[in-house]
Amino acid sequence: MSDRPLPIVRTVADLRARVAGWRAAGERVGFVPTMGALHEGHLSLVRLARQRADRAVASIFVNPTQFGPNEDFDAYPRGEARDAGLLADAGCDLLFAPTVAEMYPRGFATTVSVTGVSEPLDGAARPGHFNGVATVVTKLLTQCAPDVAVFGEKDYQQLQVIRRLVRDLDLPVEIVGGPTARAEDGLALSSRNAYLSPQERAIAGRLNVILREAVNRLKAGEAVAPVEADALAALTAAGFQQVDYVEVRDADDLARLGPGPAEAPARILAAARLGRTRLIDNMAV
Ligand code: PAF
């Protein structure tokens, strides 16, 4: 454990003052936005930020606007003291942990909406989700003004939405995707895995295996349509109660591909439910 407590700021003014000090000293700043409940996946992003910059800032903000009315905003795991210790150990220099009132003061009226890439897949399954993500990420990036910001490839559609908005709004920040951290059986690490019962956890480990089998078939030149259909059948047979999607898409803008063999670069993405837990995963084809 790190013996130095992680400095925590809760206002945009304090965040900007710290970052300005580093910049004045000629230091590069890396940034990792999170919603807390940190695991090895987040910590690997912090280490990546630290490799790309002299200083690493993380934020913890459970953003209410990206949760739907029937989603888990109230139940979302929270534990700032534990998270701060993990961040300090991973080499983080500063935690920005604002309140809802700091992020969305009275009268807040602006939404950032990214068309195209945010519309299919999770955009269709979770209406309004990517408007909430795009708005809060735009705010966080302009508040911190980092040189580089790191987001996990685990949330691949989110990463592509953020890349698009940064290009479209000319935000002067480099966006880096960090590889998905996985458990021993390949399950993608997620704060929401904590909701899984032991039986559900056993089924959850099949998601990555089924995607990997699909990737191997696509790489061998098989057509997209039957591979998607077989992956859907395999997820249902494994015990997933609802499959929101399992689809092969263009890796950049997530446009639909033709039914024939996938042309690279492509990505297979899936979302499936086990009880109250919704799992997502994706892989490069
Ligand atoms: O990936 C997350 O944890 C969140 O969607 C993010 C990027 C921190 C925005 O709230």
Side-chain angles (χ1 to χ4, degrees):
M1 279 295 267
S2 168
D3 47 9
R4 105 204 130 92
L6 183 67
I8 302 177
V9 289
R10 302 197 185 274
T11 66
V12 176
D14 286 346
L15 171 66
R16 288 195 166 136
R18 296 275 186 149
V19 172
W22 291 328
R23 276 198 191 294
E27 292 181 317
R28 268 172 66 80
V29 177
F31 183 38
V32 182
T34 82
M35 296 205 302
L38 303 182
H39 50 68
E40 176 50 33
H42 298 108
L43 303 176
S44 68
L45 303 182
V46 172
R47 289 192 288 268
L48 194 51
R50 207 61 177 68
Q51 282 165 20
R52 302 282 191 122
D54 305 298
R55 299 285 181 171
V57 180
S59 63
I60 295 180
F61 179 63
V62 185
N63 173 35
T65 67
Q66 68 188 75
F67 289 79
N70 300 319
E71 293 186 352
D72 56 346
F73 175 69
D74 290 329
Y76 200 83
R78 291 162 171 89
E80 187 184 278
R82 174 192 165 273
D83 287 344
L86 293 172
L87 287 169
D89 288 346
C92 183
D93 295 285
L94 181 68
L95 171 59
F96 176 47
T99 60
V100 172
E102 178 72 5
M103 291 298 278
Y104 301 114
R106 232 180 130 70
F108 186 87
T110 300
T111 299
V112 178
S113 177
V114 181
T115 58
V117 64
S118 73
E119 288 167 13
L121 308 172
D122 271 4
R126 303 180 68 189
H129 169 67
F130 284 121
N131 282 355
V133 170
T135 304
V136 81
V137 169
T138 303
K139 283 175 65 71
L140 289 165
L141 291 177
T142 51
Q143 289 163 346
C144 181
D147 297 281
V148 54
V150 187
F151 295 86
E153 284 183 351
K154 149 94 181 1
D155 296 293
Y156 188 78
Q157 187 173 13
Q158 167 175 283
L159 175 62
Q160 294 309 101
V161 168
I162 292 166
R163 286 190 202 281
R164 184 74 262 164
L165 82 83
V166 163
R167 279 199 295 263
D168 290 354
L169 299 180
D170 303 310
L171 300 185
V173 56
E174 180 193 359
I175 301 298
V176 170
T180 302
R182 295 183 180 278
E184 243 172 54
D185 64 352
L187 175 66
L189 298 189
S190 163
S191 308
R192 290 186 167 104
N193 292 353
Y195 302 151
L196 294 168
S197 70
Q199 291 90 331
E200 290 168 345
R201 175 62 187 81
I203 299 170
R206 292 291 302 153
L207 175 57
N208 78 96
V209 176
I210 291 166
L211 289 187
R212 214 172 295 282
E213 284 164 4
V215 168
N216 289 340
R217 288 175 60 188
L218 293 163
K219 280 187 173 160
E222 283 197 48
V224 166
V227 171
E228 285 178 340
D230 289 351
L232 174 60
L235 287 169
T236 307
F240 287 92
Q241 286 133 6
Q242 184 186 321
V243 180
D244 286 350
Y245 57 80
V246 51
E247 291 183 18
V248 185
R249 295 260 171 173
D250 180 283
D252 179 38
D253 61 6
L254 300 182
R256 205 85 184 80
L257 299 181
E263 274 173 34
R267 198 99 190 169
I268 185 163
L269 304 100
R273 290 172 201 260
L274 278 173
R276 69 185 186 117
T277 314
R278 183 172 185 274
L279 300 174
I280 58 171
D281 201 352
N282 68 88
M283 287 178 197
V285 175

